[in-house]
Amino acid sequence: MLEDEPVASEVHRYNIGDIEVTVLSDGFRMVPVDDKYIRNAGTAEIAAELAAAGLPTDKIKNTYAPIVLATAGRRVLIDTGNGEAVRAQSKGERGTLDSSLAAAGLDRNAIDVVVISHFHADHVNGLLTADNKPAFPNAQIKVPEAEWKFWMDDGEMSRASAGRMSELFANNRRVFDALGRKVTPYAWDEEVAPGVTAVGTPGHSIGHTSFVVASGGARVFVQQDVCNNAVLFTRHPGWHGFFDQDPVRAEATRRRVCDMLVAEQMPVQAYHFPFPALMRVEKQGDGYKVTPTTV
Ligand SMILES: [Zn+2]
């Protein structure tokens, strides 16, 4: 890590039965709150909710927490962060996964499997180094088959709306073409690594996937963008973020997953929740409340 970079690498470890979880920070981004952030709520409503949580009201701190699972002798990375190129552009605010891996005593050459949840830039761009080489050269790259089918479909790309969707198509082609499209698609309900089962949670994207990690009677639900911000989308599961591809389906998925986590008292490891991003979910009013927890 360069000495003038402001971001400290962050590492948090815990166990789910025999599976060791290492939570790694990939930094953060301050996202301005404007009237486009939530499609069906205005800035005043958003600000009121942020203020009630004791947070700044004009910007949202979006954080990124990839995890490495040590399971049955394999090292499995779930999502790859923003990537080294963005690290330089953001002056070390994000794209810091490599520093966090080093701080955890992990070498990216020793990652055996990379499992991708969905094809948004803050989850896939870390597949490449700053010079567009594979960042995890010895790893099998596993991707949701629904996601792969959609983003690699030339017809879908030709119909993509200008702006966000067409940029996402271009970015995904850039990343996966640099990898020679050498990926292994996986299906929902499939075990993607020992003790790690893929769960379909579509809406945020067509093939957005979560995971149940289970070992020795303990279970944790790994979710990335079912609930993005830990305050806004738990308190208001009916709010539709600009980043949800199918917002109605995303809301249905969010309510179904949160209800399940409450009913089964299953902790959630959530990619965009405040580090170390391990929370329990409770019902509160029409929505939910999350608080830090342990396994
Ligand atoms: Zn995300």
Side-chain angles (χ1 to χ4, degrees):
M1 180 158 180
L2 299 175
E3 278 173 28
D4 61 352
E5 284 187 0
V7 170
S9 43
E10 285 184 285
V11 175
H12 177 76
R13 279 207 167 92
Y14 66 95
N15 279 74
I16 303 168
D18 293 333
I19 299 176
E20 182 193 64
V21 183
T22 305
V23 188
L24 302 157
S25 171
D26 188 59
F28 66 95
R29 185 161 97 94
M30 299 308 293
V31 183
V33 176
D34 60 21
D35 57 7
K36 294 192 192 72
Y37 188 79
I38 309 277
R39 297 177 211 228
N40 55 350
T43 49
E45 288 171 276
I46 302 169
E49 204 55 68
L50 292 170
L55 296 168
T57 57
D58 59 336
K59 286 191 174 110
I60 287 166
K61 186 176 189 181
N62 194 22
T63 53
Y64 314 94
I67 59 175
V68 171
L69 304 172
T71 172
R74 314 273 287 161
R75 293 198 187 283
V76 180
L77 172 66
I78 300 186
D79 286 347
T80 63
N82 293 273
E84 281 182 357
V86 167
R87 175 187 177 138
Q89 285 163 23
S90 68
K91 298 187 167 53
E93 271 190 359
R94 57 191 181 278
T96 57
L97 174 61
D98 208 36
S99 295
S100 294
L101 281 168
L106 293 166
D107 181 345
R108 65 189 187 191
N109 295 312
I111 299 293
D112 299 295
V113 183
V114 175
V115 181
I116 295 294
S117 67
H118 68 294
F119 287 13
H120 288 170
D122 52 329
H123 299 260
V124 299
N125 281 11
L127 283 165
L128 300 180
T129 60
D131 55 354
N132 293 318
K133 297 283 187 305
F136 306 96
N138 300 314
Q140 181 187 24
I141 312 293
K142 293 192 162 186
V143 300
E145 67 179 9
E147 202 71 348
W148 181 254
K149 190 164 172 284
F150 176 76
W151 296 104
M152 295 301 133
D153 186 306
D154 291 340
E156 294 288 1
M157 185 163 73
S158 73
R159 291 188 288 277
S161 54
R164 178 176 165 82
M165 284 303 286
S166 60
E167 284 166 16
L168 284 168
F169 271 100
N171 185 61
N172 287 326
R173 301 303 178 99
R174 178 185 70 83
V175 170
F176 289 104
D177 286 352
L179 296 173
R181 299 199 180 192
K182 268 191 278 172
V183 300
T184 306
Y186 64 82
W188 289 338
D189 303 325
E190 191 177 296
E191 198 174 54
V192 290
V196 185
T197 303
V199 179
T201 49
H204 178 65
S205 68
I206 296 284
H208 182 268
T209 302
S210 303
F211 308 91
V212 172
V213 180
S215 173
R219 289 188 306 164
V220 168
F221 193 81
V222 177
Q223 71 103 38
Q224 314 301 60
D225 284 87
V226 172
C227 291
N228 175 281
N229 182 273
V231 172
L232 300 181
F233 299 101
T234 52
R235 294 292 305 115
H236 297 274
W239 279 4
H240 295 170
F242 76 90
F243 35 69
D244 287 337
Q245 189 177 341
D246 180 342
V248 173
R249 199 167 187 203
E251 177 187 342
T253 290
R254 190 153 48 241
R255 292 183 186 279
R256 174 171 58 81
V257 167
C258 286
D259 285 343
M260 182 275 290
L261 295 174
V262 172
E264 305 206 6
Q265 299 188 330
M266 203 190 314
V268 60
Q269 177 70 47
Y271 193 77
H272 297 293
F273 285 7
F275 199 85
L278 179 64
M279 302 277 190
R280 62 182 298 227
V281 185
E282 295 163 275
K283 192 85 186 132
Q284 188 182 70
D286 294 337
Y288 310 89
K289 176 175 97 169
V290 294
T291 44
T293 191
T294 54
V295 174

